[in-house]
Structure formats: C-alpha cells, structure tokens
Amino acid sequence: MLMRKVPGFVPASPWGLRLPQKFLFLLFLSGLVTLCFGALFLLPHSSRLKRLFLAPRTQQPGLEVVAEIAGHAPAREQEPPPNPAPAAPAPGEDDPSSRASPRRRKGGLRRTRPTGPREEATAARGNSIPASRPGDEGVSFHFDFNAFRSRLRHPVLGMRADESQEPQSRVRAQREKVKEMMQFAWQSYKRYAMGKNELRPLTKDGYEGNMFGGLSGATVIDSLDTLYLMELKEEFQEAKAWVEESFHLNVSGEASLFEVNIRYIGGLLSAFYLTGEEVFRIKAIRLGEKLLPAFNTPTGIPKGVVSFKSGSWGWATAGSSSILAEFGSLHLEFLHLTELSGNQVFAEKVRNIRKVLRKIEKPFGLYPNFLSPVSGNWVQHHVSVGGLGDSFYEYLIKSWLMSGKTDMEAKNMYYEALEAIETYLLNVSPGGLTYIAEWRGGILDHKMGHLACFSGGMIALGAEDAKEEKRAHYRELAAQITKTCHESYARSDTKLGPEAFWFNSGREAVATQLSESYYILRPEVVESYMYLWRQTHNPIYREWGWEVVLALEKYCRTEAGFSGIQDVYSSTPSHDNKQQSFFLAETLKYLYLLFSEDDLLSLEDWVFNTEAHPLPVNHSDSSGRAWGRH
Ligand code: DMJ
C-alpha cells in the first residue's frame, strides 16, 4: 500500500507483487492444493473427508419413482450393506439372511452392463458399475435382495402353525390335495408339452397360441411361484432350468402387451422376489424392454399389440383403440421393472398412463373400456368390471397397497371409481342377489361375467382403507358379490360356474345360452373366496372352495392334465382340450392359499398381480429407504 504512494512507481499487480513473485506464489499454492487432494484420495480413513468434499453419490434410480408416486421427496442412497446378497432360499427355507450363495460368495455381487441412459450416466461416473463382460446378457444394476428380504414382516412361506398343532387336520389334507393337483397339472404339462405355452390334455400335445408373439413356455413361467410356494422343489428346479436354458427372447411375432406383462413379466418378477435368482430378474427386464415400442403412440397410451420385430411400432400395425383393462394393468409390474433395473423408463410409461386417465373427463365418474391411443378420447361408453375393464380397478387399489399406502392418487382414483360403479352399475336381483351389471351409455346389461367375480376379493381388500363410515359397507358388499358368484356355481350341474350369467326374466345367476355356459378353469371365484377367507375367517369360504376342488376333480381332470369344459349345465360335459396356464398360476394357487395360514404370502408383504403373481409391498422406513436397497 505504501509503495503505491511513491510517485513514478507502477505496481506489478493489484496485490503489489511483481510478476516473478506472483508466479512463485501461484506455484506454491497449486502445489498445496495438489497435496491436499492427494491426501484425500490416497490416505486411509479418508471416507469422511470424501463425503464432506465430494458431491453426494447419485440417488439410486427407481427409488425416486416410488417416492415421487408416493408424494415424498426422493430418499438418499445409504451406505451399501456389508454383506453380499444371500443365495436364493430353496422352497421351504425362509431365512435368506442366514445363507450366501457359493457363486456370490466367490464372485461378489454380479454387476453387468448399463441398460438405460441413467444407468450409463451412473456407470460413466464410476459409481459402482464396472465394465460389461463379453457376452453378458445381464442388467447392470445392484438390487439388494438381502435388504429387501429383511424388511418383509412375515416369512415368505409362513409359520405353518396349523401343521405343528394339528398334523392331520382336515385343512392340511385339503391343502395337500390342491398340491397334488398342481403336481399332476405340472407333470402332465411337462410330459406332453414342456416348453410350449399350454398343454392340450386330450390330444396330449402342446399349444402355442398367438398371444405371446413367439414366446414359449407360458405355463412354465406362470407355474414358477406356485411350485415354489407349494414346496414342489423338484418341479420348481425343472421349471427354473427351462427358463435358464430354453426361454429365449429373440422372437419376432406380435404379442398382447397385457398378456405378456401379466404372465411372463409378472411370473418372472415373482420368481425373482421369492428366490433371488438373477436369471429371473434379468429375463424380466430384457422382456420388459421388448414391450416398450407399444408405448410409442401420440398419447403414450400403449396399443394392445406390440410387435417384437425391431423397428415396428405396435400402434401402427393394430386397430384403433386400446382396452382399459390392458393398458390399466401394467402399473405394478412396470414399477418393479424400474425397481429392479434402475431404468426409469418403465415407471415413466405407467406414470404417463395414470396422468392421461386422471385428466380425461369420465362420464358420471365411470371409466369406459376403450380409449383411442391417438386422440386420448374414449372410443365408446361401455363400462364393465368384468372383461375389458376388470384389472384396471384392481391395479388402482393394489398400487396403493404396493406403495406401502403412500400412492394417494391411486387410492383416490380407486374409491372414486368404486363410488361411481356402486351408483350406476350395482344392482340387487328380485331374488336378493347383489351383482355388478354392465353399462352401455346409460343402459344396463343385467349380467356378470365370470371375470367380474374377482371384484368380491378386490372390494374386500380395499375395504380396510376406505373412509371409516364405508368400511363395514364394503366388507358386506364384497361378501354379497362373492355369494352371488358362488350361486352361479351352485346353480349348475357341475358346480362350476359359467363364463357369464344373467339376472333376467326370473332366472338368476345362470347363463342363458350355450355360448356362455363354458368354464375354462378360471380363477376369479376362488380368488374372491381366498380374500374373503383372509378377511373374515368365515368357514363358508373354505367349504365353497372345497366344492370347487371336488368339481374340478370330477369334471375337469383327465388322464393327461386338467381341461376346461364346454357346458357347466351338463353332467357329462365335453372338454375343451386346454389346460390354461392361469389354472396353475392362479386357480390352484388361490385354492392352496385358501387352505393355508394367513402368513403364507401375507397380504401385509405382498400384492398379487392379476395373474396371481405375488409382488412385494414397499416397506420403506422412516429414514426414506425404499424397498430392496440401502
Ligand atoms: C387371467 O389371465 C387373469 O386373471 C386376467 O386378469 C383375466 N383372465 C385370466 C383368468 O381368467
């Protein structure tokens, strides 16, 4: 400062330093900085400093989806757990934390190639994702299976209290009978149709159908979790081996987005969550990616058909409207695809569907069955809780439950829709049977499809979270609808229910034409029995379920598997020669659960997708961790 006052003196810099002095000073400074950073990275015990100085690690993808949908701010990633994920527990083993697979013990966690933009960005930042291995078809994302399993509130396979107390109990014998039926259905399929989509028990061969775009093995994938749950260990291993060795995704046909999602994706996701086996996670994600072109429409509402041929969009090649039950039944599986892959795209797709449905005007609060994926308008005003509409409503209440009761939007949409259904579609017949009719622009068809019989279970499931003054009402409504569906079985000669039944001209809960009199091994009625049993423990539901078991044995069991029948009103019905994959996924699973303790796949921990594949509830804790990772 003094020097500035000396006349004729021009300082070398504003700090009063000459150039060489400044250079030396800067050199010293940069040396100091380099030394500090070197210490930060190289010295031991520097992690605290790192945390202080470095940017926080990227939040785990997928977590924010759950949080956002739940209306919470995304939670921060926690420290990784000290131990690798455990081996897949064998059926019957419930404590995954007590084991570690030899493969994982040896090689540590399996991490592979990034799949989505977010994954790539994470990998580029060097955040725990190493380079891909040649030929690795894996998905580079670490899902902490160990942490996920530790958050379940019940052992997956339950405590089986009834067995220890009453080894020869009737209910145990009933459960064993259902298990034997599953074993027979599986072994028949394996013997005559292994690897095909479904078994034809009369002709003793396999059937591929045209719903799956060239994918095979629908029965294998649909059976995995049922075999696991029933502790059919050998059969489960057979199914798993087929998935590992023979389930190929390089197909190029046109597939139903809905069917592939609920059966294949749902089945693979459940198999992964039950066992921790990577093969199921990887195949689910890879297959999920193949479904994405279906969403490439002007509104993002997917078309029903997706072409697996690369470069061809589903919406350009199929008809003009999308079906509510189809595009409305993706939410559960797609959130789990994001959860298990870290790829946000799956959650974004279903979040967009929700947005479109939230915004669009609903006639009287009802959701019509057809929507244009181009204009985003309803195509006609046909409303049904049966086919075409059914699982859309189911997925609303289950989204709420699966989110750990944080997805308020789904909850509100569900109860609003149910109110409208009650107001405009619900009826009581002159004979006192409660039923949900179908609505065509204000005119009612007084009929219920077999498919609509799932609604007893759904309303029971949703009753507990309704407004207090409505809870008892919904419980009673669920019981009444389930009773009506039971009547549709009880009023037939076979004690199995028709595809559709009417409430017209003094005839109630019966089909009025042969074309509606068939039974194709559908699950919806026993599904409702299972939920009502869990809710009420009224023995009537087990009695009704047992009637179904006896009827299936009498009329549907053939020498080489189970078959649907063409007329439930004939005591000598013809068979339709098809053992539907959903018979193994759903009908037998729900029957088995009906004769089991409530903690076997507890409803506190699991929601069932519409093909009865269990998907875990998000048990995040108060510190903001979401399920499956720290
Ligand atoms: C199953 O594939 C699913 O339950 C679907 O939601 C409706 N149809 C069949 C069973 O009937």
Side-chain angles (χ1 to χ4, degrees), residues 222 258-259 262-263 325 329 387 390-391 394-395 450-451 454 499 520-524 527 580-583 586-587 590 609-612:
D222 252 357
F258 167 77
E259 296 291 353
I262 66 169
R263 299 191 201 211
S329 307
D390 48 9
S391 40
E394 177 185 354
Y395 272 37
H450 193 290
L451 289 166
F454 86 98
E499 180 68 3
I520 57 168
L521 306 174
R522 285 200 190 278
E524 291 77 18
E527 175 180 351
Q580 304 275 352
S581 75
F582 54 67
F583 180 64
E586 298 190 72
T587 312
Y590 285 131
N609 87 339
T610 193
E611 189 79 358

Side-chain angles (χ1 to χ4, degrees), residues 52-271:
L52 273 175
F53 289 108
L54 301 180
R57 278 187 295 175
T58 321
Q59 184 208 325
Q60 293 273 14
L63 189 58
E64 67 183 6
V65 178
V66 176
E68 189 181 315
I69 289 172
H72 291 304
R76 292 261 169 269
E77 184 191 1
Q78 309 290 307
E79 282 292 320
N83 300 316
E93 295 171 339
D94 285 322
D95 179 15
S97 58
S98 64
R99 287 175 294 280
S101 86
R103 187 178 58 199
R104 288 186 184 175
R105 255 191 247 122
K106 252 194 197 165
L109 298 172
R110 295 177 75 197
R111 286 172 183 162
T112 50
R113 180 174 34 183
T115 52
R118 180 144 189 168
E119 279 290 281
E120 275 154 18
T122 313
R125 280 192 295 272
N127 186 12
S128 84
I129 298 174
S132 60
R133 298 175 306 209
D136 187 355
E137 58 155 7
V139 177
S140 62
F141 183 75
H142 168 55
F143 175 80
D144 193 336
F145 185 75
N146 199 18
F148 148 69
R149 286 295 289 257
S150 72
R151 279 197 280 273
L152 293 179
R153 294 179 183 161
H154 301 267
V156 174
L157 298 181
M159 301 295 290
R160 284 166 280 179
D162 66 315
E163 277 181 33
S164 50
Q165 286 158 17
E166 258 186 286
Q168 298 310 320
S169 70
R170 179 163 188 252
V171 70
R172 185 178 181 187
Q174 290 172 316
R175 184 167 62 242
E176 288 302 314
K177 176 66 204 166
V178 177
K179 182 171 171 175
E180 183 278 328
M181 291 164 78
M182 178 69 189
Q183 199 166 23
F184 174 67
W186 170 260
Q187 282 171 355
S188 303
Y189 165 78
K190 191 183 78 176
R191 179 158 179 204
Y192 299 111
M194 188 68 184
K196 299 282 188 215
N197 279 322
E198 284 165 321
L199 163 70
R200 296 199 296 190
L202 301 192
T203 44
K204 298 184 180 169
D205 57 7
Y207 172 79
E208 290 293 37
N210 57 6
M211 287 192 308
F212 305 120
L215 292 171
S216 285
T219 296
V220 180
I221 311 282
D222 252 357
S223 297
L224 282 162
D225 52 16
T226 311
L227 294 171
Y228 182 89
L229 167 80
M230 294 183 180
E231 300 177 60
L232 288 165
K233 298 178 189 183
E234 210 177 292
E235 290 83 353
F236 176 81
Q237 290 306 330
E238 290 162 0
K240 185 185 137 198
W242 184 87
V243 174
E244 281 170 336
E245 289 152 26
S246 310
F247 182 44
H248 303 301
L249 305 183
N250 55 342
V251 293
S252 57
E254 293 198 335
S256 158
L257 170 67
F258 167 77
E259 296 291 353
V260 170
N261 178 58
I262 66 169
R263 299 191 201 211
Y264 285 91
I265 304 274
L268 291 165
L269 288 172
S270 288

Side-chain angles (χ1 to χ4, degrees), residues 16 36 107-108 136 144 197 220 240 334 340 343 361 438 469 491 508 522:
C36 288
D136 187 355
D144 193 336
N197 279 322
V220 180
K240 185 185 137 198
F334 272 52
L340 295 185
N343 188 348
E361 199 180 316
E438 301 198 356
E469 65 272 19
R491 294 176 188 200
E508 297 188 353
R522 285 200 190 278

